[in-house]
Amino acid sequence: MALRDITRVEVLRAIEECDRLGRDTFLRAYGFREARRLRLSYEGKLYDSKAIVGAAHGHLPGRSALAAEDFSGGMATVGSLLRQLGFTVVDTRAAGQDGGERGPALEYSAFEAAIADLRMRSTRQGPALYQPILLLWAVGRARRGDSRLDTWSTTEREVGRLLSQHGARGERPRPDYPAAALHRAGLWDMYDHRGPVPSAHGDSNIAQWFATHQPRTGLPLPVYERMRDSAADRARAVSALLTYFDGVDPQAVRALLVDVGLDEGAAHAPAGADGEVPHAVRIAARYDRLCRSVERDEAARHGRRVPRQSQRPLRSAPAREAVLLRCGGRCENPRCPGQPDDRTDAGQPILEVDHVVEITADGRDHPSQMVALCPNCHAVKTRGSTREAFRAELLKVAARLHQAIRPEPGSGNKSEGAPTPATTSASIPASPPAPASG
């Protein structure tokens, strides 16, 4: 066994395996329990760090996976290894049982990943909104510069009101549920209490615990400071939280954002722009997450090539040339909204010769079943939602244009596109032939 032999490649393979199997099956397969403290954060999801490392060892050539008893899963071993490999490790250790400050500060990137993967109770309409509403309230406080921690009576009153007014999936005015759940996930600080914080289960027992201990609660300090000082980080966090509101009336979501002080323009958006501001925030955050994912592995991908073997059908060059001659430099879709005015470096129209019925699907490599299309019409024919009807129309167009320029014996009653030798010729369009750009 040598943990130092594990590279980023093996860890990514273990993560892919966990995603494919699902967390519970993955843990059972390798004999690990859920991580009590350290989680690996990757692309908006949290993974059990020790289990991932144990499985990663099995992806080394000639090695087998490690069992839980084979190595320590602490910060000095697993945590150090993963961080050296460029991963973010979340220390989900709760605040000290005596109410003291927590240990290592929660990294903001880990918080952002964690809120993108919150574990919440499911309802018929979607995930219950207890945790997102509590976090939006706290982020709004940070934006205004309010104190990070507040008394439980204040939290209970204000968040209870938000849950009553904006809970769209049967939420009760009980902020104790999300506070306990987020605390155990390492995303919510609690102080001035004795003994462990109960889990977010049951009913009267958890309510009684909060009523008795009256803890001061709020966001972890590094998170609070980023939410207060960075509009970009705040937008990404809000975006991640708003994804849990999919299916909720956009105007209701806007009202919640205004209520917690996170409108940032939503209150002044034009009437009728349903969900415009939340949607823009979501797009910006998603774009940022994708860019960071690209940049994280960019160096490892640079210069690498994927070997591929393919066999392409033999195509007729004269058939392609005939279609370009026939089209006269214009897209042959009769309903073309307008092909590009720009031209190739050789000064030719930008056109693509297309087999309406692919050769691989027994289509003919013949002008009677081929058309010249501009890039836009070609994209619609290839992957547009109306492509099937469009292809049927283009097949008739190709046969008609072919018949007009090269009539077959017996006039035009022949079936469209039928392979019959021609015995007559027709005049050629005045426009010169236009070779395609590719």
Side-chain angles (χ1 to χ4, degrees), residues 293-308:
S293 175
V294 169
E295 291 156 2
R296 181 166 47 241
D297 298 322
E298 190 172 15
R301 291 194 315 272
H302 183 69
R304 296 182 62 184
R305 297 291 184 269
V306 178
R308 291 182 178 175

Side-chain angles (χ1 to χ4, degrees), residues 196-235:
V197 177
S199 61
H201 300 291
D203 198 331
S204 59
N205 60 330
I206 184 173
Q208 183 60 43
W209 188 92
F210 277 88
T212 300
H213 291 269
Q214 292 292 312
R216 290 185 304 128
T217 74
L219 292 171
L221 180 59
V223 176
Y224 169 83
E225 291 175 341
R226 294 286 281 273
M227 294 296 93
R228 180 191 62 194
D229 302 334
S230 172
D233 290 336
R234 188 166 59 243

Side-chain angles (χ1 to χ4, degrees), residues 234-319:
R234 188 166 59 243
R236 286 198 299 270
V238 171
S239 170
L241 293 169
L242 289 181
T243 60
Y244 297 110
F245 290 79
D246 285 347
V248 177
D249 179 13
Q251 291 296 343
V253 176
R254 290 160 61 84
L256 170 61
L257 293 177
V258 172
D259 203 348
V260 298
L262 291 173
D263 50 301
E264 307 204 36
H268 309 292
D274 289 353
E276 177 181 344
V277 173
H279 178 71
V281 173
R282 294 181 194 183
I283 292 298
R286 176 63 177 160
Y287 183 83
D288 179 76
R289 286 198 297 272
L290 290 172
C291 287
R292 285 187 286 117
S293 175
V294 169
E295 291 156 2
R296 181 166 47 241
D297 298 322
E298 190 172 15
R301 291 194 315 272
H302 183 69
R304 296 182 62 184
R305 297 291 184 269
V306 178
R308 291 182 178 175
Q309 294 182 348
S310 62
Q311 293 182 339
R312 297 182 178 180
L314 186 64
R315 300 180 185 273
S316 168

Side-chain angles (χ1 to χ4, degrees), residues 120-203:
M120 297 176 290
R121 179 175 64 84
S122 296
T123 73
R124 292 183 178 180
Q125 295 79 31
L129 300 174
Y130 288 101
Q131 294 179 51
I133 288 177
L134 174 61
L135 288 172
L136 286 171
W137 171 75
V139 172
R141 287 176 55 84
R143 182 199 177 202
R144 295 191 300 270
D146 294 346
S147 61
R148 177 173 74 94
L149 303 175
D150 214 330
T151 62
W152 181 247
S153 60
T154 299
T155 302
E156 187 175 36
R157 181 181 65 254
E158 295 188 3
V159 180
R161 179 186 63 80
L162 292 173
L163 289 168
S164 295
Q165 295 182 2
H166 303 288
R169 293 169 181 157
E171 293 81 5
R172 294 186 291 166
R174 291 283 301 275
D176 47 314
Y177 287 129
L182 291 171
H183 178 71
R184 293 184 71 84
L187 307 178
W188 192 253
D189 279 356
M190 290 193 192
Y191 302 100
D192 301 338
H193 63 85
R194 292 178 179 240
V197 177
S199 61
H201 300 291
D203 198 331

Side-chain angles (χ1 to χ4, degrees), residues 108-119:
Y108 176 73
S109 59
F111 174 83
E112 188 175 326
I115 63 175
D117 194 33
L118 292 175
R119 301 180 66 180

Side-chain angles (χ1 to χ4, degrees), residues 23 27 31-36 48 51 68:
R23 184 188 186 193
L27 292 176
F32 285 87
R33 297 181 179 179
E34 293 184 5
R36 291 178 296 179
D48 301 273

Side-chain angles (χ1 to χ4, degrees), residues 19-37:
D19 287 339
R20 186 176 69 255
L21 296 177
R23 184 188 186 193
D24 292 341
T25 302
F26 178 80
L27 292 176
R28 286 197 303 270
Y30 286 99
F32 285 87
R33 297 181 179 179
E34 293 184 5
R36 291 178 296 179
R37 176 184 167 191

